[in-house]
Amino acid sequence: MPTWTLHTEFKFDAAHFIEGYDGKCGNMHGHTYKVHVSAKSHKLNPSKYLDTDDMVCDFRELKWAAKSPKKGGLDHAVLNEELTVNPTAERIAEFIYKETMQRIPDGISLKITVWETETCWVEYTEDNV
């Protein structure tokens, strides 16, 4: 079975605090988050910008979080105001995953990796593999 896997990375800057955290992360602070998105599909699809079925999905749809909050993204946001859960790295990755899934064609499996620092990151997927 043919399989295509797209990979893209982007960064965004944002502030957050972890409510209830007993430590410095309980205070408002900021990070430059790095995000890696893997999108795997066994078929090609059209996109919002291309009518023919020649891509897994559009890279633009995978990089939505790099935009400002006014344009629907997370760059320079206060994450506590954008997420309905405590904005830990785990929850940020889950949020990006769920929002991205709404923007891409059905049948694509995603894996989202979010680096909060150069040495601390989390991966999120809903695949059972």
Side-chain angles (χ1 to χ4, degrees), residues 13-59:
D13 295 306
H16 76 144
F17 62 91
I18 301 175
E19 190 173 333
Y21 187 82
D22 183 17
K24 62 183 181 178
C25 292
N27 299 320
M28 180 73 75
H29 62 284
H31 296 282
T32 297
Y33 291 93
K34 177 180 162 186
V35 178
H36 179 98
V37 180
S38 295
K40 183 165 81 172
S41 180
H42 298 296
K43 70 182 189 81
L44 297 179
N45 301 288
S47 83
K48 185 172 162 183
Y49 309 100
L50 179 68
D51 293 335
T52 59
D53 55 350
D54 291 312
M55 53 178 53
V56 169
C57 60
D58 200 295
F59 283 115

Side-chain angles (χ1 to χ4, degrees), residues 92-108:
I92 295 164
E94 179 184 23
F95 178 79
I96 292 171
Y97 175 95
K98 290 180 187 253
E99 289 292 316
T100 303
M101 287 300 288
Q102 294 178 28
R103 299 164 187 261
I104 62 175
D106 291 337
I108 296 173

Side-chain angles (χ1 to χ4, degrees), residues 71-84:
K71 294 182 178 180
L74 298 174
D75 190 42
H76 285 80
V78 175
L79 297 177
N80 300 72
E81 296 171 2
E82 301 297 323
L83 279 68
T84 59

